[in-house]
Amino acid sequence: MTYAEFFADIKGKFLEADVSDVKEHLAYQFNIIGEAEGIFYVEVKDGKLEVEPYEYYDRDVIFIAKTDTFMKIAEGKLDPVTAFTLQKMRFEGNVDKALKLKELLDRHKK
């Protein structure tokens, strides 16, 4: 899998989230290591979600993991806290905002 293929797939999964009622600003950067290595960010601002294939310098949290770990998290097959506990994912930054990743992913549009 290439980075472009991975990003297109993961972007689609994030964009399924309904964040229209989220008033808090969340800025996550994801650093993919190994296969499909690259960086992308997810930002929630004023009830809108953006997913872009760039580094985000004013981020709250950086998540670092392999492609398959991020994909399992995005598909709901792996809880982000479990991934961290099993040392499949690392993070740097605001712990409270990092914990909101699961809540964000659970907001799939109906």
Side-chain angles (χ1 to χ4, degrees), residues 13-92:
K13 293 187 184 330
F14 271 104
L15 290 178
E16 292 174 0
D18 179 3
V19 298
S20 59
D21 64 339
V22 177
K23 302 304 178 209
E24 179 179 13
H25 181 258
L26 300 170
Y28 298 128
Q29 179 174 307
F30 296 84
N31 294 5
I32 303 125
I33 53 176
E35 180 188 9
E37 186 171 317
I39 293 173
F40 70 96
Y41 76 85
V42 174
E43 179 182 36
V44 178
K45 183 177 181 181
D46 299 325
K48 294 182 182 170
L49 180 77
E50 283 190 52
V51 183
E52 297 295 337
Y54 310 112
E55 190 166 352
Y56 192 97
Y57 293 101
D58 194 22
R59 64 213 164 224
D60 299 309
V61 183
I62 298 175
F63 292 102
I64 304 139
K66 293 182 178 180
T67 307
D68 61 329
T69 300
F70 283 136
M71 194 56 73
K72 286 177 185 174
I73 290 170
E75 292 171 342
K77 296 178 181 175
L78 178 62
D79 181 278
V81 175
T82 302
F84 175 75
T85 304
L86 295 173
Q87 298 180 352
K88 292 184 175 281
M89 179 172 67
R90 295 181 292 134
F91 82 94
E92 300 170 5

Coordinates of all heavy atoms in Angstrom, one line a residue, residues 13-92:
K13 N -12.6 7.4 6.1 CA -13.1 6.9 7.4 C -13.3 8.1 8.4 O -14.3 8.1 9.1 CB -12.1 5.9 7.9 CG -12.1 4.6 7.1 CD -11.4 3.5 7.7 CE -11.3 2.3 6.8 NZ -12.4 2.0 5.9
F14 N -12.3 9.0 8.4 CA -12.5 10.2 9.3 C -13.6 11.0 8.9 O -14.4 11.5 9.8 CB -11.2 11.0 9.4 CG -10.2 10.5 10.4 CD1 -9.1 9.8 10.1 CD2 -10.4 10.8 11.8 CE1 -8.2 9.4 11.1 CE2 -9.6 10.4 12.8 CZ -8.4 9.6 12.4
L15 N -13.8 11.2 7.6 CA -14.9 12.1 7.2 C -16.3 11.6 7.4 O -17.3 12.3 7.3 CB -14.7 12.5 5.7 CG -13.5 13.4 5.4 CD1 -13.3 13.7 3.9 CD2 -13.6 14.7 6.2
E16 N -16.4 10.3 7.8 CA -17.7 9.7 8.2 C -18.2 10.3 9.6 O -19.3 10.1 9.9 CB -17.6 8.2 8.3 CG -17.4 7.6 6.9 CD -17.1 6.1 7.1 OE1 -17.1 5.5 8.2 OE2 -16.9 5.4 6.0
A17 N -17.3 10.9 10.3 CA -17.6 11.4 11.7 C -18.5 12.7 11.6 O -18.2 13.6 10.8 CB -16.4 11.6 12.5
D18 N -19.5 12.7 12.4 CA -20.4 13.9 12.5 C -19.9 14.7 13.6 O -20.1 14.4 14.8 CB -21.8 13.5 12.7 CG -22.7 14.7 12.8 OD1 -22.3 15.8 12.7 OD2 -23.9 14.5 13.0
V19 N -19.2 15.8 13.3 CA -18.7 16.7 14.4 C -19.4 18.0 14.5 O -18.9 19.0 15.0 CB -17.1 16.9 14.1 CG1 -16.4 15.6 14.2 CG2 -16.9 17.6 12.8
S20 N -20.6 18.1 13.9 CA -21.3 19.4 13.8 C -21.6 20.0 15.2 O -21.7 21.2 15.2 CB -22.6 19.2 13.0 OG -23.4 18.2 13.7
D21 N -21.6 19.2 16.2 CA -21.9 19.7 17.5 C -20.7 19.9 18.4 O -20.7 20.2 19.6 CB -23.0 18.9 18.3 CG -22.5 17.5 18.5 OD1 -21.6 17.0 17.8 OD2 -23.1 16.8 19.4
V22 N -19.5 19.6 17.9 CA -18.2 19.7 18.6 C -17.7 21.2 18.6 O -17.4 21.7 17.5 CB -17.1 18.8 18.0 CG1 -15.8 18.9 18.8 CG2 -17.6 17.3 18.1
K23 N -17.7 21.8 19.7 CA -17.3 23.2 19.8 C -15.8 23.3 20.1 O -15.2 24.4 19.9 CB -18.2 24.0 20.8 CG -19.6 23.9 20.5 CD -19.9 24.4 19.1 CE -21.4 24.3 18.7 NZ -21.7 24.1 17.4
E24 N -15.3 22.3 20.7 CA -13.9 22.3 21.1 C -13.0 22.2 19.9 O -13.3 21.5 18.9 CB -13.6 21.1 22.0 CG -12.2 21.0 22.5 CD -12.1 19.8 23.5 OE1 -12.9 19.0 23.6 OE2 -11.0 19.8 24.1
H25 N -11.8 22.8 19.9 CA -10.8 22.7 18.8 C -9.9 21.5 19.1 O -9.4 21.4 20.2 CB -10.0 24.0 18.7 CG -8.9 23.9 17.6 ND1 -7.6 23.6 17.9 CD2 -9.0 24.0 16.3 CE1 -7.0 23.6 16.8 NE2 -7.8 23.8 15.8
L26 N -9.8 20.6 18.2 CA -9.0 19.4 18.3 C -8.1 19.4 17.1 O -8.5 19.5 15.9 CB -9.8 18.1 18.3 CG -10.8 18.0 19.4 CD1 -11.7 16.8 19.2 CD2 -10.1 17.8 20.8
A27 N -6.8 19.2 17.3 CA -5.8 19.1 16.2 C -4.9 18.0 16.4 O -4.1 18.0 17.4 CB -5.0 20.4 16.0
Y28 N -5.0 16.9 15.6 CA -4.2 15.7 15.7 C -3.3 15.6 14.5 O -3.8 15.7 13.3 CB -5.1 14.5 15.7 CG -6.1 14.4 16.9 CD1 -7.4 14.2 16.7 CD2 -5.6 14.6 18.2 CE1 -8.3 14.1 17.8 CE2 -6.5 14.5 19.3 CZ -7.8 14.3 19.1 OH -8.7 14.2 20.1
Q29 N -2.1 15.2 14.7 CA -1.2 14.9 13.7 C -0.9 13.4 13.8 O -0.7 12.9 14.9 CB 0.1 15.7 13.7 CG 1.1 15.3 12.6 CD 2.3 16.2 12.6 OE1 2.2 17.4 12.6 NE2 3.5 15.6 12.6
F30 N -0.9 12.7 12.7 CA -0.6 11.3 12.6 C 0.7 11.0 11.8 O 0.7 11.4 10.7 CB -1.8 10.5 12.0 CG -3.0 10.6 12.8 CD1 -3.9 11.7 12.6 CD2 -3.4 9.6 13.7 CE1 -5.0 11.8 13.4 CE2 -4.6 9.8 14.4 CZ -5.4 10.9 14.3
N31 N 1.7 10.4 12.5 CA 2.9 10.1 11.8 C 2.9 8.6 11.6 O 2.9 7.8 12.5 CB 4.1 10.5 12.7 CG 4.3 12.0 12.9 OD1 3.4 12.8 12.4 ND2 5.3 12.4 13.6
I32 N 2.9 8.2 10.3 CA 2.9 6.8 10.0 C 4.3 6.4 9.8 O 5.1 7.0 9.0 CB 2.1 6.6 8.6 CG1 0.7 7.2 8.8 CG2 2.0 5.1 8.3 CD1 0.3 8.2 7.7
I33 N 4.6 5.3 10.4 CA 6.0 4.7 10.3 C 5.9 3.4 9.5 O 4.9 2.7 9.6 CB 6.7 4.5 11.6 CG1 5.8 3.8 12.6 CG2 7.0 5.9 12.2 CD1 6.5 3.5 13.9
G34 N 7.0 3.0 8.8 CA 7.0 1.7 8.1 C 6.3 1.9 6.8 O 6.4 2.9 6.1
E35 N 5.5 0.9 6.4 CA 4.8 0.9 5.1 C 3.9 2.1 5.0 O 3.3 2.5 5.9 CB 4.0 -0.4 4.9 CG 3.2 -0.4 3.6 CD 2.3 -1.6 3.5 OE1 2.0 -2.3 4.6 OE2 1.7 -1.8 2.5
A36 N 3.9 2.7 3.8 CA 3.1 3.9 3.6 C 3.5 5.1 4.5 O 2.6 5.9 4.9 CB 1.6 3.6 3.7
E37 N 4.7 5.2 4.8 CA 5.2 6.2 5.7 C 4.8 7.6 5.2 O 4.8 7.9 4.1 CB 6.7 6.2 5.8 CG 7.3 7.1 6.9 CD 8.8 6.8 7.1 OE1 9.2 5.7 7.2 OE2 9.5 7.8 7.2
G38 N 4.4 8.4 6.2 CA 4.0 9.8 5.9 C 3.3 10.5 7.1 O 3.3 9.9 8.2
I39 N 2.7 11.6 6.8 CA 2.1 12.4 7.9 C 0.8 13.0 7.4 O 0.7 13.4 6.2 CB 3.0 13.6 8.3 CG1 4.3 13.1 8.9 CG2 2.3 14.6 9.2 CD1 5.4 14.2 9.2
F40 N -0.2 13.0 8.2 CA -1.4 13.7 7.9 C -2.0 14.3 9.2 O -1.6 13.9 10.3 CB -2.5 12.8 7.2 CG -3.1 11.7 8.1 CD1 -4.3 11.9 8.7 CD2 -2.4 10.5 8.3 CE1 -4.9 10.9 9.5 CE2 -3.0 9.5 9.0 CZ -4.2 9.7 9.6
Y41 N -3.0 15.2 9.1 CA -3.6 15.8 10.3 C -5.1 15.8 10.1 O -5.6 15.7 9.1 CB -3.1 17.2 10.6 CG -3.6 18.3 9.7 CD1 -4.8 18.9 10.0 CD2 -2.9 18.7 8.6 CE1 -5.3 19.9 9.2 CE2 -3.4 19.7 7.8 CZ -4.6 20.3 8.1 OH -5.1 21.3 7.3
V42 N -5.7 15.8 11.3 CA -7.1 15.8 11.4 C -7.4 17.0 12.4 O -6.9 17.1 13.5 CB -7.7 14.5 12.0 CG1 -9.2 14.7 12.3 CG2 -7.5 13.4 11.1
E43 N -8.3 17.9 11.9 CA -8.6 19.1 12.8 C -10.1 19.2 12.8 O -10.8 19.1 11.8 CB -8.0 20.4 12.2 CG -8.4 21.6 13.0 CD -7.9 22.9 12.4 OE1 -7.8 23.0 11.1 OE2 -7.5 23.8 13.1
V44 N -10.6 19.4 14.0 CA -12.0 19.8 14.3 C -12.0 21.2 14.8 O -11.4 21.5 15.8 CB -12.7 18.8 15.3 CG1 -14.1 19.2 15.6 CG2 -12.6 17.4 14.9
K45 N -12.8 22.0 14.1 CA -12.8 23.4 14.4 C -14.2 24.0 14.0 O -14.6 23.8 12.9 CB -11.7 24.2 13.7 CG -11.7 25.7 14.1 CD -10.5 26.3 13.4 CE -10.4 27.8 13.7 NZ -9.3 28.4 13.0
D46 N -14.9 24.6 15.0 CA -16.2 25.2 14.7 C -17.2 24.2 14.1 O -17.9 24.5 13.2 CB -16.1 26.4 13.8 CG -15.2 27.5 14.4 OD1 -15.3 27.6 15.7 OD2 -14.5 28.2 13.7
G47 N -17.2 22.9 14.5 CA -18.1 21.9 14.1 C -17.8 21.4 12.7 O -18.6 20.7 12.0
K48 N -16.6 21.6 12.2 CA -16.2 21.1 10.9 C -14.9 20.3 11.0 O -14.1 20.6 11.8 CB -15.9 22.3 9.9 CG -17.2 23.1 9.6 CD -16.9 24.2 8.6 CE -18.2 25.0 8.4 NZ -18.0 26.2 7.7
L49 N -14.8 19.3 10.1 CA -13.7 18.4 10.2 C -12.8 18.5 8.9 O -13.4 18.6 7.8 CB -14.2 16.9 10.3 CG -13.2 15.8 10.3 CD1 -12.6 15.7 11.7 CD2 -13.8 14.5 10.0
E50 N -11.5 18.6 9.1 CA -10.6 18.7 8.0 C -9.6 17.5 8.1 O -9.1 17.3 9.3 CB -9.8 20.0 7.9 CG -10.6 21.1 7.4 CD -9.7 22.3 7.2 OE1 -8.6 22.2 6.5 OE2 -10.0 23.4 7.7
V51 N -9.3 16.9 7.0 CA -8.2 15.8 7.0 C -7.3 16.2 5.8 O -7.8 16.2 4.7 CB -8.9 14.4 6.9 CG1 -7.8 13.4 6.9 CG2 -9.9 14.2 7.9
E52 N -6.1 16.4 6.1 CA -5.1 16.9 5.1 C -3.8 16.1 5.2 O -3.4 15.8 6.3 CB -4.9 18.4 5.1 CG -6.1 19.2 4.9 CD -6.7 19.0 3.5 OE1 -6.0 18.7 2.5 OE2 -7.9 19.3 3.3
P53 N -3.1 15.9 4.1 CA -1.9 15.2 4.1 C -0.6 16.0 4.4 O 0.3 16.1 3.6 CB -1.8 14.6 2.7 CG -2.5 15.6 1.8 CD -3.6 16.2 2.7
Y54 N -0.7 16.8 5.5 CA 0.4 17.7 5.8 C 0.7 17.6 7.3 O -0.1 17.2 8.1 CB 0.0 19.2 5.5 CG -0.6 19.4 4.1 CD1 -1.9 19.7 4.0 CD2 0.2 19.3 3.0 CE1 -2.5 20.0 2.7 CE2 -0.3 19.5 1.7 CZ -1.7 19.8 1.6 OH -2.2 20.0 0.4
E55 N 1.9 18.2 7.6 CA 2.2 18.3 9.0 C 1.4 19.5 9.6 O 1.2 20.5 8.9 CB 3.7 18.6 9.1 CG 4.2 18.5 10.6 CD 5.7 18.5 10.6 OE1 6.4 18.3 9.6 OE2 6.3 18.6 11.7
Y56 N 1.0 19.4 10.8 CA 0.2 20.5 11.5 C 1.1 21.0 12.6 O 1.3 20.3 13.6 CB -1.1 19.9 12.0 CG -2.1 20.9 12.4 CD1 -3.1 21.3 11.5 CD2 -2.1 21.5 13.6 CE1 -4.0 22.3 11.9 CE2 -3.0 22.5 14.0 CZ -4.0 22.8 13.1 OH -4.9 23.8 13.5
Y57 N 1.5 22.2 12.5 CA 2.5 22.7 13.5 C 1.8 23.2 14.9 O 2.5 23.2 15.9 CB 3.3 23.9 12.9 CG 4.2 23.4 11.9 CD1 3.9 23.5 10.5 CD2 5.4 22.7 12.2 CE1 4.7 23.0 9.5 CE2 6.2 22.2 11.2 CZ 5.9 22.4 9.9 OH 6.7 21.9 8.9
D58 N 0.6 23.5 14.8 CA -0.1 23.9 16.1 C -1.0 22.8 16.6 O -2.1 23.0 17.0 CB -0.9 25.2 15.8 CG -1.4 25.9 17.1 OD1 -0.7 25.7 18.1 OD2 -2.4 26.6 17.0
R59 N -0.5 21.6 16.6 CA -1.3 20.4 17.0 C -1.4 20.3 18.5 O -0.5 20.8 19.2 CB -0.7 19.2 16.4 CG 0.7 19.0 16.9 CD 1.6 18.3 15.9 NE 3.0 18.5 16.4 CZ 4.0 18.8 15.6 NH1 3.8 19.1 14.4 NH2 5.2 18.9 16.1
D60 N -2.4 19.6 18.9 CA -2.6 19.2 20.3 C -1.8 17.9 20.6 O -1.3 17.8 21.7 CB -4.1 19.0 20.7 CG -4.9 20.3 20.4 OD1 -4.4 21.4 20.9 OD2 -5.9 20.2 19.8
V61 N -1.9 17.0 19.7 CA -1.3 15.7 19.9 C -0.7 15.1 18.6 O -1.2 15.4 17.5 CB -2.4 14.7 20.3 CG1 -1.9 13.3 20.6 CG2 -3.2 15.2 21.5
I62 N 0.4 14.4 18.7 CA 1.0 13.6 17.6 C 0.8 12.2 18.0 O 1.2 11.8 19.1 CB 2.5 13.9 17.4 CG1 2.8 15.4 17.1 CG2 3.1 13.0 16.4 CD1 4.2 15.7 17.0
F63 N 0.2 11.4 17.1 CA 0.1 10.0 17.2 C 1.1 9.3 16.3 O 1.2 9.7 15.1 CB -1.3 9.5 16.9 CG -2.3 9.9 17.9 CD1 -3.2 11.0 17.6 CD2 -2.5 9.3 19.1 CE1 -4.1 11.4 18.4 CE2 -3.5 9.7 20.0 CZ -4.3 10.8 19.7
I64 N 1.9 8.3 16.8 CA 2.9 7.7 16.0 C 2.6 6.2 16.0 O 2.5 5.5 17.1 CB 4.3 7.9 16.5 CG1 4.5 9.4 16.6 CG2 5.4 7.2 15.7 CD1 5.2 9.9 17.8
A65 N 2.4 5.6 14.8 CA 2.1 4.1 14.7 C 2.3 3.7 13.3 O 2.5 4.5 12.4 CB 0.7 3.8 15.2
K66 N 2.2 2.4 13.1 CA 2.3 1.8 11.8 C 0.9 1.9 11.0 O -0.1 2.1 11.7 CB 2.7 0.3 11.8 CG 4.1 0.1 12.3 CD 4.4 -1.4 12.4 CE 5.9 -1.5 12.8 NZ 6.3 -3.0 12.8
T67 N 1.0 1.8 9.7 CA -0.2 1.9 8.9 C -1.4 1.0 9.4 O -2.5 1.4 9.5 CB 0.1 1.5 7.5 OG1 1.2 2.2 7.0 CG2 -1.0 1.7 6.5
D68 N -1.1 -0.3 9.7 CA -2.1 -1.2 10.0 C -2.8 -0.8 11.4 O -4.0 -1.0 11.6 CB -1.6 -2.7 10.1 CG -0.5 -2.9 11.0 OD1 0.3 -2.0 11.3 OD2 -0.4 -4.1 11.5
T69 N -2.0 -0.3 12.3 CA -2.5 0.2 13.6 C -3.5 1.3 13.4 O -4.6 1.3 13.9 CB -1.4 0.6 14.5 OG1 -0.5 -0.5 14.7 CG2 -2.0 1.1 15.9
F70 N -3.1 2.3 12.6 CA -4.0 3.4 12.4 C -5.3 3.0 11.6 O -6.4 3.4 11.9 CB -3.4 4.5 11.5 CG -2.4 5.4 12.3 CD1 -1.2 5.7 11.8 CD2 -2.8 5.9 13.6 CE1 -0.3 6.5 12.5 CE2 -1.9 6.7 14.3 CZ -0.7 7.0 13.8
M71 N -5.2 2.0 10.7 CA -6.3 1.6 10.0 C -7.3 0.8 10.9 O -8.5 1.0 10.8 CB -5.9 0.7 8.8 CG -7.0 0.5 7.8 SD -7.7 2.0 7.1 CE -6.5 2.5 6.0
K72 N -6.8 0.0 11.8 CA -7.6 -0.8 12.7 C -8.3 0.2 13.6 O -9.5 0.0 14.0 CB -6.8 -1.8 13.5 CG -6.4 -3.0 12.7 CD -5.5 -3.9 13.5 CE -5.0 -5.0 12.7 NZ -4.0 -5.9 13.4
I73 N -7.6 1.3 14.1 CA -8.3 2.3 14.9 C -9.4 3.0 14.2 O -10.5 3.1 14.7 CB -7.2 3.3 15.5 CG1 -6.3 2.6 16.5 CG2 -7.9 4.5 16.1 CD1 -5.1 3.4 16.9
A74 N -9.1 3.4 13.0 CA -10.1 4.1 12.2 C -11.3 3.2 11.8 O -12.4 3.7 11.7 CB -9.5 4.6 10.9
E75 N -11.1 1.9 11.7 CA -12.2 1.0 11.4 C -13.0 0.6 12.6 O -13.9 -0.2 12.5 CB -11.7 -0.2 10.7 CG -11.1 0.1 9.3 CD -10.4 -1.1 8.6 OE1 -10.0 -2.0 9.4 OE2 -10.2 -1.0 7.4
G76 N -12.5 1.0 13.8 CA -13.2 0.6 15.0 C -12.8 -0.8 15.5 O -13.4 -1.3 16.4
K77 N -11.7 -1.4 14.9 CA -11.3 -2.7 15.3 C -10.3 -2.7 16.4 O -10.0 -3.8 17.0 CB -10.7 -3.4 14.1 CG -11.7 -3.7 13.0 CD -11.1 -4.3 11.8 CE -12.1 -4.5 10.7 NZ -11.5 -5.1 9.5
L78 N -9.7 -1.5 16.7 CA -8.7 -1.4 17.8 C -9.0 -0.1 18.5 O -9.1 1.0 17.9 CB -7.3 -1.4 17.2 CG -6.2 -1.3 18.2 CD1 -6.1 -2.4 19.2 CD2 -4.8 -1.2 17.4
D79 N -9.2 -0.1 19.8 CA -9.4 1.1 20.6 C -8.0 1.8 20.7 O -7.0 1.2 20.9 CB -9.9 0.6 22.0 CG -10.1 1.8 22.9 OD1 -9.2 2.3 23.5 OD2 -11.3 2.2 23.0
P80 N -8.1 3.1 20.6 CA -6.8 3.9 20.7 C -6.1 3.7 22.0 O -4.9 3.7 22.0 CB -7.2 5.4 20.5 CG -8.6 5.3 19.8 CD -9.2 4.0 20.2
V81 N -6.8 3.6 23.1 CA -6.2 3.4 24.4 C -5.6 2.1 24.5 O -4.4 1.9 25.0 CB -7.2 3.6 25.5 CG1 -6.6 3.3 26.9 CG2 -7.8 5.1 25.5
T82 N -6.2 1.1 23.9 CA -5.6 -0.3 23.9 C -4.4 -0.3 23.1 O -3.4 -0.9 23.4 CB -6.7 -1.3 23.4 OG1 -7.8 -1.3 24.2 CG2 -6.1 -2.7 23.3
A83 N -4.4 0.4 21.9 CA -3.2 0.5 21.1 C -2.0 1.1 21.8 O -0.9 0.6 21.7 CB -3.5 1.3 19.8
F84 N -2.3 2.1 22.6 CA -1.3 2.7 23.4 C -0.8 1.8 24.5 O 0.4 1.6 24.7 CB -1.8 4.0 24.1 CG -0.8 4.7 25.0 CD1 0.3 5.3 24.5 CD2 -1.0 4.6 26.4 CE1 1.2 5.9 25.4 CE2 -0.1 5.1 27.3 CZ 1.0 5.8 26.8
T85 N -1.7 1.1 25.2 CA -1.4 0.2 26.3 C -0.5 -1.0 25.7 O 0.4 -1.4 26.4 CB -2.7 -0.4 26.9 OG1 -3.4 0.7 27.4 CG2 -2.4 -1.3 28.1
L86 N -0.9 -1.5 24.5 CA -0.1 -2.6 23.9 C 1.2 -2.1 23.2 O 1.8 -2.9 22.6 CB -1.0 -3.3 22.9 CG -2.2 -4.0 23.5 CD1 -3.1 -4.5 22.3 CD2 -1.8 -5.1 24.4
Q87 N 1.5 -0.8 23.3 CA 2.6 -0.2 22.7 C 2.7 -0.3 21.2 O 3.7 -0.4 20.6 CB 3.9 -0.8 23.3 CG 4.0 -0.5 24.8 CD 5.3 -1.0 25.5 OE1 6.0 -1.8 24.8 NE2 5.5 -0.7 26.7
K88 N 1.5 -0.3 20.6 CA 1.3 -0.3 19.1 C 1.3 1.1 18.6 O 1.4 1.4 17.4 CB 0.1 -1.1 18.7 CG 0.2 -2.6 19.0 CD -1.0 -3.3 18.4 CE -0.8 -4.8 18.6 NZ 0.1 -5.4 17.6
M89 N 1.0 2.1 19.5 CA 1.0 3.5 19.2 C 1.6 4.3 20.3 O 1.4 4.0 21.5 CB -0.5 3.9 19.0 CG -0.7 5.3 18.6 SD -2.4 5.8 18.1 CE -3.3 5.6 19.6
R90 N 2.3 5.4 19.9 CA 2.8 6.3 20.9 C 2.1 7.6 20.6 O 1.6 7.9 19.6 CB 4.3 6.5 20.7 CG 5.1 5.3 21.0 CD 6.6 5.6 20.8 NE 6.9 5.8 19.4 CZ 7.7 6.8 18.9 NH1 8.2 7.6 19.8 NH2 7.9 6.9 17.6
F91 N 2.1 8.5 21.6 CA 1.6 9.8 21.4 C 2.4 10.8 22.2 O 3.1 10.5 23.2 CB 0.1 9.9 21.8 CG -0.2 10.1 23.2 CD1 -0.3 11.4 23.8 CD2 -0.2 9.1 24.1 CE1 -0.6 11.6 25.1 CE2 -0.5 9.2 25.4 CZ -0.6 10.5 25.9
E92 N 2.4 12.1 21.7 CA 3.1 13.2 22.4 C 2.1 14.3 22.4 O 1.4 14.6 21.4 CB 4.3 13.6 21.6 CG 5.4 12.6 21.4 CD 6.4 13.0 20.4 OE1 6.4 14.1 19.9 OE2 7.3 12.1 20.1

